[in-house]
Amino acid sequence: MHENSYKDLLHNVEKPSRYSGNEWNVVKKDLEKIDLSICLAFPDIYEVAMSHLGFKILYHIINSRDEFAAERVNAPWTDFEKILREKNMPLRSLESQLELNKFDLVGFTLQYEMSYTNILNMLDLGHIPVLSQDRGEDAPLVIAGGPCAFNPEPLHNIIDAFVIGEGEEAILELLDTVKKGKKQGLKRDELLRELTKIQGVYVPKYYQGKYDENGVYKGTFPTDEGIPKTITKRFIRDMSQSSFPQDMMVPYMDIVHDRIMLEICRGCSRGCRFCQAGMLYRPVREKNLETLLEQAEKLVKSTGYGEISLSSLSSADHSQIHDLAKGLVDTYKDKGVGVSLPSLRVDSFSIELAEMVQQVRKTGLTFAPEAGSQRLRDVINKNVTEENLINAVSDAFKSGWNRVKLYFMIGLPTETYEDLDGIVDLAEKVVAEYKKHGKNMKRFSVTVSTSSFVPKPHTPFQWVPQFSKEELVNRQNYLKSKLKSRYINYSWHDVEVSYLEAIFAKGDRKLADVLYTAWKKGCKMDGWGEHFKYDIWLDSFKELEVNPDNYAYATPQADNPLPWDHISSGVNKKYMALEYKRALKEEITEDCSFGACGGCGACNNLKYDVKKVRRGQDA
């Protein structure tokens, strides 16, 4: 066991377990006996990092190969960072306490634009030059993947190579290429050039963004021959055969999602027009029942967890969800192991299913109508009705549930104040339903939560401007004034954070200097309200003469180049433009798993058998 290099410091920090390592099922290898090491870096605190399933999958896959070692590091909280900087101590991995700059690779996951400054901060704390151009031959290769990698340009001068798509499909091929290149004695540039030959790997130094004389973006193009013009994502074709950890780590402190996360399917065919994940992870792919029951059995034995969460973008849509839930409940209910469904759609809600999975412990129910009126739900293609919601909560209240959470977005395209009234109306109807069927008003509550719409790349709403900050605040205040029932709690998000998220979500290479400047001035942990320094961000934009409104409030035409056009999720840009037009006409598009093919192009472009996405009666 490695001695913790921080052991004399941790009594001075808030939560020492964030930095102690040695969790149950941790993998520790002798780094002298492996060929290549990678530190998987999560740009947020430990509790968030340890809740991320993708991180655990990559950790498992890499460590399954004897010649590779994967270790972990997360962003230190500000108290620990202060100590590290005062003592000039480097950031180290949790497993072997190796300094970050001693690894062959450091791999970041990009889940959220507001974590970007943490990436720069972690590199600096790890004694790795923040800018890729300053890294020498001995510095680790800095790679990144995750949903935000689908618009990599704001990080083009920080990250050496991006993996586009599902990392478990490409990571071993990438590591094999690096291993081979190191044995051949390739220089850093030569190695990066080799990485461009791997499908789904984007090396930004071999591309250049071009602008016309007026500063209008004209596209990003390869600088050398042989470099692909478009980088198409990697994806798992058969989820049942994909590698999945059977002995996930169990932390010694509370984390955000402290349970078994059993991924039952990936992708979603519902087609919500605001949802980036729904577009990026197409086509939808399920694990079969036998595989899921087997994985659950091994995970219960190896972790001792008391809850299995059936994870996916829309778990109730799995074609065998009832058989799966029944199988798990029948097997584990007498052992005190519960089953949960983290995401429920009101149209696929089944009281039978809800009761089945909550036999061990009954928690609150969460639904996401997203918009208050049917008109606006048609605009965003949510494909649920008020009747769906009322029927769902009515059944739930009859069966003894007392608490409901409702998630909405405000500032959606074409939203009016009448649509906001719809949110109020829906919440009040939920209260009325409880009064009909509920048993204890003292225990009853409805939580209405609104987030501000952020237009995301690779969605039909990528051309939509965000509502102004002032208008979003007006709409929040409007809802506060209307949601007066004693049984309704209302929560909302900071509009300035959503504004910055929109800027970087739709950003280009010009934002890289803003990011660097803001970090140098002290920005980090931007996703944590107490550390968000909006004034510094505004100063940084002003100093570099970059107008942030030109990103958040941009209204590009459908045929204008976009900064992420050279990155392909498989979904055609023409399809997204058509979906945007249909949204403005308040027309819905069917779920292609159960209805007609919408023609998004994912199956065709990715050479995936379209019959495999069919889950309806004609499947």
Side-chain angles (χ1 to χ4, degrees):
M1 180 180 294
H2 297 276
E3 184 176 87
N4 193 307
S5 303
Y6 303 138
K7 65 182 176 63
D8 295 329
L9 309 174
L10 295 182
H11 66 281
N12 291 318
V13 301
E14 182 184 349
K15 294 182 179 180
S17 296
R18 287 170 171 164
Y19 317 104
S20 60
N22 291 316
E23 300 93 334
W24 186 257
N25 290 329
V26 70
V27 177
K28 291 189 175 184
K29 293 186 176 181
D30 184 345
L31 298 185
E32 298 294 325
K33 296 180 179 177
I34 53 99
D35 294 328
L36 208 66
S37 61
I38 178 170
C39 192
L40 300 176
F42 200 99
D44 210 318
I45 61 172
Y46 178 88
E47 295 93 313
V48 181
M50 285 296 288
S51 302
H52 187 251
L53 179 58
F55 215 51
K56 296 177 180 180
I57 292 174
L58 287 178
Y59 185 81
H60 161 75
I61 289 175
I62 297 169
N63 280 321
S64 67
R65 289 272 295 270
D66 291 340
E67 69 270 42
F68 299 145
E71 302 197 348
R72 298 160 298 139
V73 69
N74 50 274
W77 192 242
T78 52
D79 57 351
F80 190 48
E81 179 191 340
K82 184 172 183 288
I83 293 173
L84 292 179
R85 291 198 183 279
E86 285 175 352
K87 296 184 176 297
N88 194 30
M89 294 181 70
L91 188 62
R92 298 169 182 268
S93 67
L94 288 168
E95 279 78 3
S96 69
Q97 294 287 298
L98 187 67
E99 301 97 315
L100 252 58
N101 62 356
K102 300 291 176 58
F103 282 86
D104 295 303
L105 300 97
V106 174
F108 286 93
T109 181
L110 308 177
Q111 298 295 315
Y112 181 36
E113 290 83 357
M114 302 309 293
S115 68
Y116 285 178
T117 49
N118 287 352
I119 295 172
L120 280 63
N121 207 42
M122 290 172 71
L123 290 171
D124 187 55
L125 284 167
H127 296 183
I128 299 171
V130 170
L131 299 177
S132 55
Q133 66 185 20
D134 296 334
R135 290 176 202 138
E137 293 296 328
D138 293 335
L141 288 177
V142 178
I143 65 174
C148 293
F150 280 83
N151 179 17
E153 297 310 309
L155 291 168
H156 80 279
N157 59 347
I158 308 294
I159 305 298
D160 295 318
F162 293 87
V163 176
I164 308 300
E166 295 168 2
E168 66 260 58
E169 179 68 9
I171 189 64
L172 292 179
E173 189 175 343
L174 187 148
L175 295 183
D176 280 333
T177 302
V178 175
K179 173 187 166 186
K180 182 180 177 183
K182 283 186 172 291
K183 284 189 174 179
Q184 292 174 336
L186 296 184
K187 297 292 186 183
R188 188 180 187 87
D189 282 351
E190 295 171 322
L191 194 50
L192 287 171
R193 176 81 187 211
E194 284 299 302
L195 295 184
T196 67
K197 298 175 183 177
I198 302 174
Q199 184 194 335
V201 173
Y202 172 57
V203 182
K205 72 170 295 180
Y206 292 109
Y207 294 81
Q208 183 177 21
K210 294 187 177 179
Y211 298 81
D212 67 13
E213 61 277 11
N214 297 315
V216 177
Y217 176 75
K218 303 304 290 183
T220 295
F221 303 96
T223 55
D224 295 353
E225 289 188 6
I227 303 295
K229 292 180 180 177
T230 302
I231 298 88
T232 301
K233 76 174 183 183
R234 298 289 292 268
F235 78 110
I236 300 288
R237 292 185 176 276
D238 187 344
M239 290 296 296
S240 297
Q241 297 298 318
S242 65
S243 187
F244 195 74
Q246 299 173 0
D247 48 3
M248 290 183 185
M249 271 179 288
V250 182
Y252 294 129
M253 64 179 292
D254 289 338
I255 60 175
V256 177
H257 300 299
D258 201 8
R259 58 188 76 100
I260 292 171
M261 286 183 286
L262 183 62
E263 185 180 29
I264 64 173
C265 60
R266 195 173 294 180
C268 177
S269 53
R270 293 284 186 169
C272 297
R273 291 170 177 137
F274 60 85
C275 182
Q276 188 186 44
M279 295 294 163
L280 296 185
Y281 292 104
R282 290 187 176 201
V284 65
R285 291 144 288 155
E286 294 184 348
K287 285 182 187 174
N288 63 43
L289 181 62
E290 181 183 8
T291 298
L292 289 167
L293 293 173
E294 180 183 336
Q295 290 179 348
E297 180 182 3
K298 290 177 178 176
L299 284 166
V300 169
K301 285 182 179 176
S302 67
T303 66
Y305 270 123
E307 183 177 350
I308 304 169
S309 176
L310 305 182
S311 171
S312 79
L313 290 172
S314 185
S315 297
D317 284 344
H318 191 287
S319 59
Q320 295 177 291
I321 187 64
H322 284 79
D323 291 337
L324 173 62
K326 186 175 188 308
L328 293 175
V329 170
D330 288 349
T331 303
Y332 299 111
K333 67 179 180 182
D334 294 334
K335 300 174 182 176
V337 179
V339 179
S340 63
L341 287 165
S343 56
L344 292 170
R345 285 179 59 95
V346 295
D347 54 339
S348 57
F349 178 79
S350 157
I351 194 65
E352 177 190 1
L353 181 61
E355 288 184 327
M356 190 190 305
V357 301
Q358 301 212 17
Q359 286 185 28
V360 176
R361 59 186 68 90
K362 183 168 286 188
T363 60
L365 291 173
T366 301
F367 298 109
E370 310 289 2
S373 70
Q374 192 59 50
R375 185 200 70 80
L376 195 53
R377 286 193 290 273
D378 289 345
V379 168
I380 64 175
N381 205 45
K382 186 63 182 177
N383 283 331
V384 299
T385 65
E386 178 180 304
E387 183 181 10
N388 293 144
L389 176 65
I390 298 304
N391 288 341
V393 297
S394 176
D395 288 344
F397 295 154
K398 290 174 187 173
S399 298
W401 269 270
N402 298 304
R403 289 178 288 129
V404 173
K405 293 181 181 177
L406 302 175
Y407 286 140
F408 297 92
M409 280 187 285
I410 61 170
L412 286 162
T414 78
E415 181 187 80
T416 66
Y417 279 75
E418 285 74 23
D419 298 313
L420 298 182
D421 290 335
I423 293 176
V424 178
D425 188 49
L426 264 184
E428 290 177 345
K429 286 180 177 175
V430 170
V431 174
E433 279 305 302
Y434 189 83
K435 289 180 176 176
K436 288 183 196 172
H437 308 291
K439 298 176 176 62
N440 188 346
M441 292 302 293
K442 290 182 179 178
R443 300 182 62 185
F444 170 65
S445 68
V446 179
T447 298
V448 173
S449 177
T450 62
S451 61
S452 300
F453 167 68
V454 175
K456 293 282 187 172
H458 300 279
T459 72
F461 289 161
Q462 63 186 349
W463 295 280
V464 177
Q466 190 176 47
F467 277 45
S468 71
K469 298 185 294 297
E470 295 76 14
E471 182 55 33
L472 288 172
V473 170
N474 288 341
R475 291 175 187 234
Q476 288 175 345
N477 289 334
Y478 183 79
L479 286 173
K480 289 179 204 173
S481 70
K482 293 282 186 177
L483 290 166
K484 292 294 189 183
S485 169
R486 59 185 292 196
Y487 303 108
I488 299 174
N489 304 307
Y490 176 47
S491 63
W492 57 94
H493 287 189
D494 186 336
V495 299
E496 292 168 342
V497 173
S498 300
Y499 174 65
L500 201 64
E501 185 183 346
I503 292 165
F504 276 92
K506 298 174 70 175
D508 58 15
R509 293 193 172 197
K510 292 179 179 178
L511 292 186
D513 291 339
V514 178
L515 176 67
Y516 184 81
T517 301
W519 167 71
K520 290 290 284 185
K521 288 173 177 286
C523 287
K524 57 194 169 190
M525 292 289 177
D526 296 295
W528 296 83
E530 65 269 42
H531 293 294
F532 182 54
K533 302 178 179 69
Y534 185 58
D535 290 344
I536 292 181
W537 276 105
L538 293 184
D539 288 344
S540 302
F541 280 109
K542 186 176 181 181
E543 180 178 324
L544 293 164
E545 299 181 343
V546 174
N547 186 348
D549 290 354
N550 290 345
Y551 296 91
Y553 304 150
T555 55
Q557 299 299 306
D559 54 354
N560 287 158
L562 297 169
W564 49 89
D565 276 351
H566 55 298
I567 306 293
S568 173
S569 69
V571 177
N572 292 327
K573 190 176 179 182
K574 285 184 178 178
Y575 168 79
M576 288 185 278
L578 178 62
E579 278 293 285
Y580 181 36
K581 289 181 180 177
R582 293 174 67 86
L584 297 179
K585 295 178 183 175
E586 301 170 12
E587 295 176 355
I588 61 171
T589 297
E590 285 186 290
D591 179 341
C592 65
S593 283
F594 302 93
C597 171
C600 76
C603 292
N604 186 50
N605 294 333
L606 300 172
K607 296 180 173 53
Y608 188 76
D609 186 354
V610 66
K611 295 177 182 175
K612 293 182 179 177
V613 307
R614 304 294 296 175
R615 294 187 285 189
Q617 294 181 350
D618 59 338

